[in-house]
Amino acid sequence: PLPRPARVAAWTETMAGADCRRQPSAISRAYPAQALLLRLGMCSERAAWAERLPPAVRALIGEAPPEAAWSVKGAAARASPSADDLGGIRLNGRVWVLARQAQGCRWVQRALENASTEGERRVLAMELRSHVVEASRCPHANHVLQRCIGSLRPEALDFVIEEIVDASACQIARHKYGCRIVQRLVEQCPPAQIRAIADAILADLPGLSVHAYGTFTVQNLFANGSADDRLAIQRFVLGAAAELCAAPHGAAVVAAVVESLDSDGRRALLEGLASEPAALCAAACSRGAPLVVRALEE
């Protein structure tokens, strides 16, 4: 067999030879060449080792500056089905693969941001169908999913809501990335559309309110939910204020509700706390007590 440097040179010359140059699609079908071009595109600056590549390969990557890999060719320049062409890397059919990568998720978000029509954004977003739950728990793909929720019309998000509900909205709300997805849905969709999600959250208020990530979902639903949702959370807090104040994350929910109460509501809360001396003492010694006291003072 050839020595390793010779094998590498032979492979690169083959992949970047005349046939590949005449048929650019061959590069997209050849995984080693695709990986090499993707690696070069992910470099924040021109890689030193790129100078050692054969001239034919350097011709493929061109002399454009690194930021060229971030430009969305088509989304900003023309309204066409090829608006998912990002710096020479085709996103069509690869959204889910790229969304799970640190750099790839940025490319997908940029394509969503620069897409010229709702239809183009929907085509990209629909590639996440059947992957919503996994994306909501991925440190990279959750950002793509959030961008989809923020950029699409609510009626295009039904598949996201369905998959969240089927997988248990409360469990996803307890995840450090998943809670962001639930919050974006509550913010962007009308109450009737997310009724199943809101009902699940309201049914699990005792557990979610004291959870490290669930507490953000409860606070978000109180801030952006329907009047009935807000009333249900307010009644729950007034009835369980002492227990919630004893938990640092629960105290944040109490503080959020207290800020919206009038003087009569705050008086009712204080009376509820005073009726349970033991729980009140535990609450006063908790890390969350200052949040509630500050909210009551305001």
Side-chain angles (χ1 to χ4, degrees):
L2 294 172
R4 186 174 184 278
R7 293 202 306 272
V8 173
W11 170 78
T12 52
E13 290 289 358
T14 300
M15 296 311 303
D19 291 341
C20 288
R21 288 196 299 273
R22 285 196 300 268
Q23 301 177 6
S25 61
I27 292 299
S28 64
R29 293 195 298 269
Y31 180 76
Q34 176 182 318
L36 175 62
L37 295 176
L38 182 62
R39 174 73 180 275
L40 288 169
M42 291 172 63
C43 294
S44 59
E45 56 186 14
R46 177 67 68 190
W49 50 267
E51 301 301 326
R52 300 186 179 89
L53 293 173
V57 175
R58 292 203 302 271
L60 286 174
I61 63 177
E63 298 301 324
E67 56 267 25
W70 285 88
S71 63
V72 181
K73 301 177 182 178
R78 65 186 183 277
S80 69
S82 61
D84 57 349
D85 187 359
L86 182 67
I89 298 176
R90 297 290 300 181
L91 297 188
N92 189 22
R94 302 179 59 213
V95 168
W96 175 232
V97 174
L98 292 172
R100 289 173 289 173
Q101 303 172 6
Q103 188 78 3
C105 76
R106 294 183 174 91
W107 288 338
V108 178
Q109 290 179 74
R110 184 62 63 87
L112 287 165
E113 178 182 337
N114 291 324
S116 56
T117 67
E118 174 77 9
E120 291 175 4
R121 287 189 289 271
R122 186 174 296 194
V123 167
L124 294 174
M126 288 304 293
E127 293 194 28
L128 297 179
R129 181 185 285 275
S130 78
H131 301 297
V132 168
V133 175
E134 188 177 353
S136 69
R137 294 169 175 162
C138 174
H140 307 304
N142 84 86
H143 296 291
V144 174
L145 190 53
Q146 289 185 74
R147 183 59 61 90
C148 289
I149 294 171
S151 61
L152 290 173
R153 294 175 181 172
E155 54 267 24
L157 300 173
D158 284 338
F159 78 97
V160 178
I161 297 172
E162 291 172 3
E163 293 185 36
I164 292 290
V165 172
D166 290 344
S168 176
C170 291
Q171 290 302 316
I172 294 176
R174 284 177 166 84
H175 192 274
K176 65 177 178 178
Y177 304 132
C179 68
R180 304 173 184 175
I181 305 305
V182 177
Q183 291 178 67
R184 298 296 87 77
L185 288 172
V186 171
E187 293 167 359
Q188 299 295 327
C189 300
Q193 187 178 10
I194 58 161
R195 189 68 264 153
I197 292 178
D199 288 343
I201 294 172
L202 295 176
D204 195 19
L205 283 177
L208 287 174
S209 297
V210 298
H211 189 271
Y213 302 113
T215 181
F216 297 115
T217 305
V218 175
Q219 294 175 59
N220 187 273
L221 181 61
F222 183 76
N224 300 288
S226 67
D228 290 339
D229 296 334
R230 291 171 58 85
L231 183 59
I233 295 174
Q234 180 177 314
R235 287 174 176 171
F236 164 72
V237 167
L238 290 176
E243 292 82 357
L244 291 174
C245 290
H249 305 301
V253 175
V254 176
V257 172
V258 166
E259 291 177 355
S260 68
L261 293 176
D262 56 18
S263 58
D264 292 336
R266 297 189 181 197
R267 187 179 302 107
L269 175 64
L270 289 173
E271 291 173 354
L273 289 172
S275 65
E276 302 180 42
L280 179 60
C281 290
C285 297
S286 71
R287 288 190 303 164
L291 289 174
V292 179
V293 172
R294 198 157 46 240
L296 286 169
E297 289 177 344
E298 294 175 358

